[in-house]
Amino acid sequence: MDRNLALEFVRVTEAAAVASGHWIGKGDKLKADGAAVDAMRTAFNEINFTGRVVIGEGSKDEAPELYTGEKLGKGGKPVLDIAVDPLECTDSVAYGRYNALSVIVAGPKGTLLGAPDTYMEKIAVGPKARKVIRLDASVSVNIKKVAKALGKKVGDITVVVLDRERHTQLIKEIRASGARVRLITDGDVAGAIAPSMFDSGIDILMGIGASAESVLAAAAVKALGGELLCRFKSKDEHQRNLVKKAGLNEKKIYSTNDLVKSDDFTFTATGVIDGPLLDGVRFTKSKAVTHSLVIRGKSGTVRYMTTHHRRDPRGDFYSS
Ligand code: VTB
């Protein structure tokens, strides 16, 4: 994939982050998400490529834009699969909480798993512990093995978990093992990537989260040398049928290589609200300032980018 395309995509996540950044704390998640989706779509359609959304905002009937199957870009080569979350953590933005991102993963056609909109059980770790985790091992065994691989005491291990009732037992078991728990209200994309980032303070992600988020996080985790293992965990018959219809297997344990099949991909994210990966959007009198991360699969290069977007004096438009 053209190396410069990764930089084109950062304009897309920047645009979505700035647009949704205006909705922080205003209590309206639909407006926040809509702003991100509109900005993302407009910015995508200024790029010379042909994209097909494999993970988007839902099916065509549920999502007017960026739906699974939608075509993006001005056309021509390259032809890419696109997985997006214009606004990961819509609620965090609406209620002014923590940890929201705009995210894109792009890879050659057929290389990103088109996971249907359901749930997955997940465990994610960074490079030093990538070989020791098992999705079916007990919580305490996984934690002990990760601690050993990292050369840490179990008591110094931090496990990030989504704060959901379904995780009551998991949290009990983590505490019983002696490890520490960080609860997050949303955002298991950043949560799954954090153990692979130097000094994030997070060693493991555990628990059940959305399946689309697995594919998005897997790209960054793979490029950074970590591991994310997951398995579909449908809530009901409808979700089980979605998995079947997509030709996927409820019993299979998917690794980063199954979720993102090629090395030729890019992961691009811009922070909307501060989180473990990135700072959020700041507005000044004349500028919007964004913080982004661009990771290329082939080289494993990690670029942090701070961009100052000039505000057009006539309105809320920003230079790209
Ligand atoms: C998680 C979280 C996301 O969805 O994947 C979660 O990381 C799972 O769904 O930020 P529930 O909220 O139903 O538990 C999000 O919260 C939103 O996409």
Side-chain angles (χ1 to χ4, degrees), residues 85 87-92 99 118-119 122 162-164 166-167 184-190 208-211 213-214 235:
D85 198 342
L87 188 54
E88 151 69 340
C89 299
T90 319
D91 278 354
S92 303
N99 187 20
T118 163
Y119 289 82
K122 315 179 187 182
L162 280 167
D163 191 3
R164 296 289 186 279
R166 62 179 179 259
H167 292 149
I184 49 172
T185 53
D186 289 286
D188 71 350
V189 172
I208 298 168
S211 41
E213 274 77 345
S214 298
K235 267 202 311 204

Side-chain angles (χ1 to χ4, degrees), residues 12 55 93 127 141 170 232 283 303 308:
V12 180
I55 291 198
V93 172
V141 165
L170 170 65
F232 286 105
F283 293 107
R303 284 192 174 80
H308 292 225

